[in-house]
Amino acid sequence: MADPAGAPSAGPPRSSEDARLDAAIRQLKFRDPATARKLSETIARVTKEIGRSPVSVMHVCGSHEQAIAKFGLRATFPRDLNVIMGPGCPVCITDMPEVDEGVALARQGVLIASYGDMLKVRGTVQSLNDAQADGADVAVVYSASQAVDLARSTDREVVFFATGFETTAVATAAVIRGNPPKNFSVLSAHKYIPPVMEIVAEMPENRVEGFLAAGHAATITGWGIFEAFAEKHRLPVVVAGFEPLDILAGLARLVELVRDREPKVVNMFPRCVTKEGNRRAQEELWSVFRPVGGRWRGIAHVPNGNLRLRDEWAHLDARRRFTIDLSSLWDYAPPTLAADCICGNIMSGIASPVNCKLFGKECVPDTPVGACMVSSEGTCKIWHQYGGHPDLGTL
């Protein structure tokens, strides 16, 4: 929500104590309890100064949610601060038709290689694990280069089902540019984070007043990429790392910007992120991929949110190399529980896992119904792992 009514036009200047805390962060004192307490006090004080409840901010990264839950940071958040997880899990937002393409290729006799979590995610009717159980050849790899190694070890066609955001897309681009064997190709389901932040900011149901951007993605793109977004939506963006103090410092700065109604970008991860980003990685990324519009699971059509191979790499593009027969999937009935899954609302920040009637009952990590319960970066799996609702504010 841009420019919220009732917010004071300006807050008190930042104190010398705040400056000392910033300096401590820059000296890599990641887990100093005294600094953490001071930062928590700052967050509580500034949130109170905003003078309304709740103040809602969103972090756009599953790794931030993991750290928040793992280190019990929600216990330190004031109750008037609502820290929401957005669409930052690459497994969760891979759309069902993209999984369908991988399943169909596997059933057509191609050896599919992908990251482990992706095997559990259902498409319209089946997951890659289901296809494997039916006799299809599916392999778990930990990197794009490992998928290339797999292709070098066989004469069979190997398709790397490539998922993830710009960080992993750079690795995929590198292997494509690295003269992979002729029996290797890529089925790209890579996504690009900045466009989906536009979608979330424009959702009328959403009340997000500021964004905590992912430090590792900004390492590639640079923090300057968020300046136009902040100006357009009148929303502040703070780039933060993943240590507990990184997150607390990022949140402290973010609520200050909300309080002061300053829609600007602040980089709180300067040890890794620059304004320009990693230009060599950007060259690799954009020489191989082009942004196209496409759906993100449960969210919406996201203009320029999907990454597809450029024409010059068509010979390595599985979509152009094979005829993908999706009709082979329609003999299977979709799972009946899928209709009750609210992963889309959870990833948009409109609902939380405890709002889903399947959470912790029919939908658990061993038998996930929704994509958010599959990945270690999925909100539902993280909340389930840390006790159902990682709010320890009463302790």
Side-chain angles (χ1 to χ4, degrees), residues 150-361:
L150 184 61
R152 293 191 197 283
S153 70
T154 179
D155 293 332
R156 295 184 58 190
E157 288 286 345
V158 174
V159 171
F160 177 48
F161 183 35
T163 61
F165 300 120
E166 43 267 46
T167 44
T168 50
V170 168
T172 304
V175 300
I176 285 175
R177 288 167 57 94
N179 193 28
K182 292 182 178 179
N183 61 331
F184 175 82
S185 57
V186 171
L187 180 65
S188 175
H190 282 304
K191 310 291 186 190
Y192 187 49
I193 279 283
V196 82
M197 290 174 62
E198 299 273 354
I199 297 294
V200 172
E202 293 171 358
M203 285 182 171
E205 312 95 311
N206 226 311
R207 297 293 181 268
V208 174
E209 299 172 58
F211 287 87
L212 200 68
H216 47 25
T219 301
I220 303 294
T221 60
W223 62 262
I225 198 171
F226 299 113
E227 286 188 316
F229 170 86
E231 182 176 352
K232 175 183 176 182
H233 297 284
R234 311 299 296 167
L235 290 170
V237 177
V238 172
V239 177
F242 303 96
E243 290 291 338
L245 292 190
D246 284 329
I247 295 172
L248 291 174
L251 285 173
R253 193 71 186 100
L254 185 58
V255 292
E256 285 180 336
L257 295 173
V258 171
R259 178 197 63 192
D260 300 342
R261 301 169 67 181
E262 289 190 87
K264 66 180 186 181
V265 183
V266 174
N267 177 24
M268 295 294 285
F269 199 32
R271 66 182 183 273
C272 294
V273 175
T274 64
K275 183 173 184 178
E276 297 78 17
N278 185 329
R279 290 185 173 174
R280 181 172 177 182
Q282 291 170 31
E283 281 180 18
E284 292 267 327
L285 180 67
W286 298 121
S287 66
V288 169
F289 292 104
R290 60 189 172 91
V292 301
R295 286 196 61 81
W296 289 38
R297 182 189 292 249
I299 299 176
H301 178 92
V302 180
N304 296 320
N306 288 358
L307 299 178
R308 296 293 184 262
L309 268 63
R310 292 185 176 277
D311 290 343
E312 51 264 49
W313 304 105
H315 60 292
L316 294 175
D317 187 342
R319 289 188 177 87
R320 297 191 238 189
R321 188 154 159 168
F322 301 97
T323 300
I324 302 177
D325 180 17
L326 294 178
S327 66
S328 64
L329 305 179
W330 307 148
D331 292 337
Y332 298 85
T336 55
L337 290 175
D340 293 326
C341 174
I342 63 167
C343 278
N345 285 345
I346 292 170
M347 288 184 285
S348 305
I350 299 169
S352 68
V354 292
N355 298 131
C356 180
K357 63 182 180 182
L358 305 179
F359 178 72
K361 299 171 186 170

